[in-house]
Amino acid sequence: MSALEPQSINWQMTSNRRAHNTHNFYDQELILRRGQAFNFLLSLNRNLSSGERLGFIASTGPNASESAKTKAVFPLSNSGSGGGWSAQLVSSQDKVLTISILTPANAPIGLYTLNLQIFSHGKEFTLKLGTFILLFNPWLQADSVFMSNRAEREEYVQEDAGIIYVGSANRIGMMGWNFGQFEEDILNISLAVLDHSLNFRRDPATDVARRSDPKYVGRVLSAMINGNDDNGVISGNWSGDYSGGRDPRNWNGSVEILKAWKSSGFRPVRFGQCWVFAGTFNTVLRSLGIPARVITNFNSAHDTDGNLSVDVYYDPMGNPLDKGRDSVWNFHVWNEAWFVRTDLGPSYNGWQVLDATPQERSRGVFQCGPASVFGVREGDVDKDFDMPFVFAEVNADRITWIYDAYTGTQKQNSSDSRSVGKYISTKAVGSSSRVDVTEKYKYPEGSSQERQVFGKALGKLKPRASFGATSAGSVESEEQTPSISGTFKVAGILEVGREVNLALLLKNLTDDVKTVFVNMTAWTIVYNGTLIHEVWKDSVTISLDPKEEKRHPVKISYAQYEKYLKADNMIRTTAVCQVTDEPEVVVERDVILDNPTLTLEVLDEVRVQKPVHMQMLFSNPLDEPVKNCVLMVEGSGLLLGSLKIDVPALRPKERSRVRFEILPTRSGTKQLLADFSCDKFPAIKAMLSIDVAE
């Protein structure tokens, strides 16, 4: 009798991928989800005789072993088995076996090799059948990433485009982001991110074995999406000088970043800021099958010393100071991933904060999370991972100090327990609207529960908090009620290229005449508060009758700010208002200037695999020419890769029309993203939803 050997194998790619919800992946590999059976056809050169049987070996990673659960050896049987790996003979017809393999719901994810064992009359042969990729399975109740709601699964696993909220608490803006987790090679690059981690390099076998746990995978990725310790994906830069890389505002999505990381030989891509880290992290999480979403926290505290307060400094002239390491960011973007917390207990299941922006080291590495959102709301700062930092981001008290460099003294000016952690936002399921999730992170501001939780958290951190950088005993503290109040009001349109018109409104709260000495400044800034350049200053003395309110105009010309405005379009105005023998009143406002509009238009009907003509419209609003203009366009399912178009220089007030072509590859609603940059406007964004017919 001839030796038994396989002739061919049919992986039934289309039906398996559809059954496993992996049919969207562009790569034509066998991509499966754990805990769910897959079928294939094995053709043999003859039928099995008695005394012959088949078995399988599935393995992942280097030095795979059964003890580490990275290798499984299992027979082909006539019935399925419970628990581990199993192979069942579904049918046998004309030397063709239909085989069903079931993987465990807690198997490590990653690239597997499947070998066939042939036991024939006392001899044993092993042959490689092929490879497959195993992912987390949010459709399966037994999987730790199970998500029961279908609409949420569609959004948080399958949606490949999204919206990220930016701006400031008084002016929430949004930008589109192309996650593109199904694009060519993105899944393989996502697995490569894990293979470049410090953990994998130290002990590859253990690292691969631990990839069964979404907690572990999420934490490793939070370290690997930034390039700080480990040749991770993105290099962060908040300096305002992005030479030698790309301005973080110019990216339209993650695909280009992940591909650039791979093609450079896995060197960090320059440059990113928080939403770039979060957008890219979201792509990798969704590609691996972990439900994930992008979260924006406005007035986000960066508390460096764990005392749940953030110290902000000004000088008497009204200049904001880069003093101390604490800061409050206009907004900060992180991720939430959905999985169970077997380490903490069922009430901590669900959304977990993961943050890849390198802010503070955690156990020696720039990584953050997973921190249970429920745990944050309850003030459980003693639970894993990085809870004190995340709790402070949404809850810290903001303490304002006046620092006088001449005398070297500082005094506490005011304390605010309500301004940090506002309008915590994410994109809605199935639509482009904003959902506010602040109540998931904390009880209502000022409620007894909220102050109680804050007290509980502070109590747990007490040993650390007492060594905070500023303990009230060592400096003058003046918490006397001010006799005046002040605010900056916007008086006119805020647009790049126009004069910025504000008014300082001062109000006398008493029945006495007050003389107020006011020092004001305006600085261009990066969204995290990095000071770029002073663009305006003024000092005035204002006399206020009892209960009187006065407006003092503030005018900052385009010529004053033009050279120093960054892509953030942010200007920080500050007034330090002094009444003799009273504590100063500090008034601050960050204004965001609007860019001119970029319009995208569809010129044809849109069908799959049919070229579509598009056009971009842009008018130069300035009284001067703009040059070095570049249009970058991308959108998953609408065009492969990204399109870069050099646009001719524009004369003052000239209108530009640029035509280009896209080729949709998938039906459904797709998002087209554009970024237009030139010497006067570093990053103008546009997005357009396009319905693609079959």
Side-chain angles (χ1 to χ4, degrees):
M1 208 186 327
S2 59
L4 181 67
E5 53 187 46
Q7 303 273 279
S8 67
I9 185 160
N10 175 351
W11 290 112
Q12 300 200 301
M13 202 75 84
T14 307
S15 57
N16 278 322
R17 284 169 53 123
R18 194 152 282 286
H20 285 249
N21 297 291
T22 60
H23 51 284
N24 289 343
F25 283 99
Y26 199 91
D27 304 287
Q28 290 311 304
E29 296 170 76
L30 183 58
I31 302 169
L32 305 166
R33 297 194 186 275
R34 63 187 192 173
Q36 188 172 336
F38 66 98
N39 294 354
F40 60 95
L41 307 179
L42 183 64
S43 304
L44 302 172
N45 60 336
R46 59 175 175 78
N47 287 317
L48 273 85
S49 64
S50 60
E52 290 181 320
R53 58 190 177 83
L54 302 179
F56 296 94
I57 302 171
S59 60
T60 183
N63 311 322
S65 69
E66 290 180 86
S67 59
K69 294 190 165 57
T70 51
K71 177 180 174 184
V73 181
F74 49 101
L76 177 64
S77 66
N78 289 323
S79 61
S81 73
W85 292 77
S86 65
Q88 185 181 356
L89 181 61
V90 179
S91 67
S92 168
Q93 203 175 2
D94 299 333
K95 300 178 289 191
V96 178
L97 310 183
T98 302
I99 295 166
S100 175
I101 287 183
L102 180 63
T103 62
N106 62 351
I109 57 121
L111 178 65
Y112 279 79
T113 300
L114 186 65
N115 290 328
L116 175 69
Q117 292 175 298
I118 300 173
F119 301 95
S120 178
H121 307 290
K123 292 188 185 147
E124 182 189 328
F125 311 93
T126 303
L127 298 134
K128 179 175 169 178
L129 289 179
T131 60
F132 61 88
I133 293 174
L134 196 62
L135 302 179
F136 290 103
N137 193 348
W139 282 260
L140 181 74
Q141 190 154 9
D143 197 309
S144 49
V145 301
F146 173 62
M147 189 168 237
S148 58
N149 182 305
R150 182 174 169 270
E152 289 183 2
R153 266 197 320 261
E154 283 301 307
E155 179 74 41
Y156 298 134
V157 184
Q158 302 288 65
E159 183 54 67
D160 59 7
I163 287 169
I164 300 178
Y165 295 95
V166 295
S168 66
N170 53 25
R171 204 124 188 269
I172 295 177
M174 62 188 224
M175 65 167 82
W177 192 265
N178 182 28
F179 298 125
Q181 67 268 33
F182 303 119
E183 296 296 294
E184 188 175 12
D185 214 23
I186 295 300
L187 175 55
N188 287 311
I189 297 171
S190 298
L191 292 169
V193 174
L194 293 172
D195 287 345
H196 281 79
S197 73
L198 293 173
N199 294 19
F200 182 84
R201 282 186 278 170
R202 279 189 208 117
D203 182 353
T206 304
D207 172 74
V208 170
R210 295 188 68 186
R211 293 182 192 176
S212 58
D213 180 0
K215 277 198 306 299
Y216 177 77
V217 171
R219 187 158 173 81
V220 167
L221 290 173
S222 80
M224 274 304 298
I225 299 295
N226 68 68
N228 283 51
D229 309 283
D230 43 31
N231 275 346
V233 180
I234 300 160
S235 176
N237 180 345
W238 287 264
S239 70
D241 176 6
Y242 310 116
S243 45
R246 194 184 285 194
D247 186 318
R249 294 257 171 184
N250 289 138
W251 300 109
N252 282 322
S254 320
V255 176
E256 211 182 337
I257 293 170
L258 289 164
K259 288 186 171 177
W261 179 65
K262 181 184 174 180
S263 64
S264 73
F266 305 106
R267 284 200 287 279
V269 176
R270 298 189 285 193
F271 291 108
Q273 290 170 354
C274 65
W275 68 92
V276 183
F277 292 104
T280 306
F281 197 173
N282 216 57
T283 297
V284 174
L285 288 165
R286 287 186 186 177
S287 79
L288 299 177
I290 300 176
R293 62 187 187 180
V294 175
I295 298 285
T296 303
N297 178 37
F298 291 94
N299 293 348
S300 191
H302 180 168
D303 174 22
T304 55
D305 46 22
N307 62 354
L308 299 191
S309 70
V310 177
D311 302 306
V312 184
Y313 295 87
Y314 300 89
D315 72 10
M317 294 311 295
N319 288 296
L321 300 176
D322 264 331
K323 184 177 163 16
R325 289 184 58 231
D326 286 357
S327 54
V328 178
W329 296 24
N330 267 289
F331 66 90
H332 179 45
V333 184
W334 59 68
N335 301 79
E336 284 176 0
W338 177 273
F339 47 82
V340 301
R341 291 300 298 267
T342 44
D343 56 328
L344 300 180
S347 50
Y348 298 91
N349 291 350
W351 290 117
Q352 313 290 326
V353 172
L354 289 164
D355 191 347
T357 298
Q359 293 189 92
E360 292 296 312
R361 288 183 191 277
S362 170
R363 302 188 187 168
V365 175
F366 281 102
Q367 57 188 350
C368 180
S372 155
V373 173
F374 170 84
V376 171
R377 191 177 69 168
E378 298 306 319
D380 293 325
V381 292
D382 48 349
K383 302 266 193 282
D384 283 341
F385 294 87
D386 306 307
M387 290 290 279
F389 184 76
V390 178
F391 183 85
E393 285 183 301
V394 298
N395 284 300
D397 287 348
R398 179 188 164 120
I399 299 175
T400 303
W401 300 83
I402 303 282
Y403 173 75
D404 191 332
Y406 295 113
T407 60
T409 57
Q410 62 183 44
K411 54 183 179 195
Q412 186 175 328
N413 173 265
S414 61
S415 167
D416 178 359
S417 64
R418 303 180 81 131
S419 67
V420 162
K422 290 279 198 216
Y423 308 115
I424 305 174
S425 302
T426 192
K427 175 192 169 301
V429 171
S431 84
S432 296
S433 49
R434 182 182 75 86
V435 174
D436 193 300
V437 294
T438 311
E439 88 290 347
K440 300 272 187 264
Y441 279 84
K442 52 186 186 178
Y443 289 101
E445 205 66 71
S447 67
S448 59
Q449 286 152 305
E450 185 252 351
R451 286 286 95 186
Q452 194 181 328
V453 165
F454 189 84
K456 167 181 163 183
L458 202 53
K460 289 183 176 188
L461 294 172
K462 207 63 186 165
R464 284 167 62 189
S466 58
F467 300 116
T470 51
S471 58
S474 62
V475 280
E476 284 179 73
S477 173
E478 300 183 350
E479 279 280 3
Q480 134 196 17
T481 327
S483 62
I484 57 161
S485 69
T487 51
F488 279 112
K489 285 269 187 272
V490 175
I493 298 168
L494 296 173
E495 275 178 9
V496 179
R498 291 190 179 214
E499 181 177 71
V500 174
N501 280 299
L502 305 171
L504 175 66
L505 260 61
L506 286 181
K507 185 169 189 184
N508 183 353
L509 305 173
T510 70
D511 295 326
D512 307 312
V513 175
K514 294 287 176 186
T515 302
V516 191
F517 304 98
V518 184
N519 291 321
M520 289 175 284
T521 63
W523 288 69
T524 53
I525 61 167
V526 177
Y527 77 98
N528 70 336
T530 301
L531 301 170
I532 300 298
H533 207 278
E534 184 183 78
V535 293
W536 173 88
K537 63 179 175 187
D538 192 12
S539 293
V540 290
T541 303
I542 295 172
S543 175
L544 292 173
D545 287 336
K547 298 277 194 284
E548 186 185 10
E549 185 170 52
K550 269 189 184 166
R551 291 171 72 93
H552 180 75
V554 171
K555 292 184 188 302
I556 309 165
S557 71
Y558 180 51
Q560 284 172 298
Y561 69 77
E562 167 194 10
K563 285 193 190 63
Y564 306 112
L565 194 69
K566 292 297 155 188
D568 311 71
N569 288 358
M570 283 189 185
I571 297 177
R572 173 165 291 174
T573 53
T574 310
V576 173
C577 310
Q578 175 85 62
V579 175
T580 309
D581 296 335
E582 290 184 21
E584 297 92 335
V585 170
V586 179
V587 184
E588 183 189 78
R589 174 146 188 181
D590 290 348
V591 295
I592 301 177
L593 310 186
D594 283 340
N595 279 322
T597 309
L598 187 68
T599 307
L600 295 173
E601 292 178 349
V602 185
L603 302 177
D604 308 318
E605 62 160 6
V606 185
R607 292 191 177 283
V608 171
Q609 296 301 348
K610 180 174 168 278
V612 180
H613 292 93
M614 305 284 305
Q615 75 177 3
M616 176 229 47
L617 302 172
F618 174 74
S619 294
N620 174 12
L622 304 178
D623 293 321
E624 50 192 286
V626 299
K627 48 186 193 295
N628 309 335
C629 306
V630 177
L631 177 68
M632 302 280 289
V633 181
E634 76 177 78
S636 286
L638 292 172
L639 67 165
L640 295 177
S642 57
L643 205 54
K644 181 182 176 189
I645 301 161
D646 290 318
V647 178
L650 290 169
R651 295 188 300 277
K653 307 287 191 214
E654 187 185 355
R655 184 171 185 202
S656 172
R657 169 181 291 155
V658 176
R659 297 217 163 164
F660 58 93
E661 209 173 76
I662 59 172
L663 181 68
T665 51
R666 296 204 194 113
S667 61
T669 303
K670 300 291 161 201
Q671 184 169 276
L672 189 72
L673 298 167
D675 174 84
F676 179 77
S677 61
C678 58
D679 62 337
K680 303 291 182 193
F681 300 101
I684 303 178
K685 297 289 190 189
M687 64 186 207
L688 181 66
S689 283
I690 299 178
D691 291 317
V692 182
E694 277 293 358

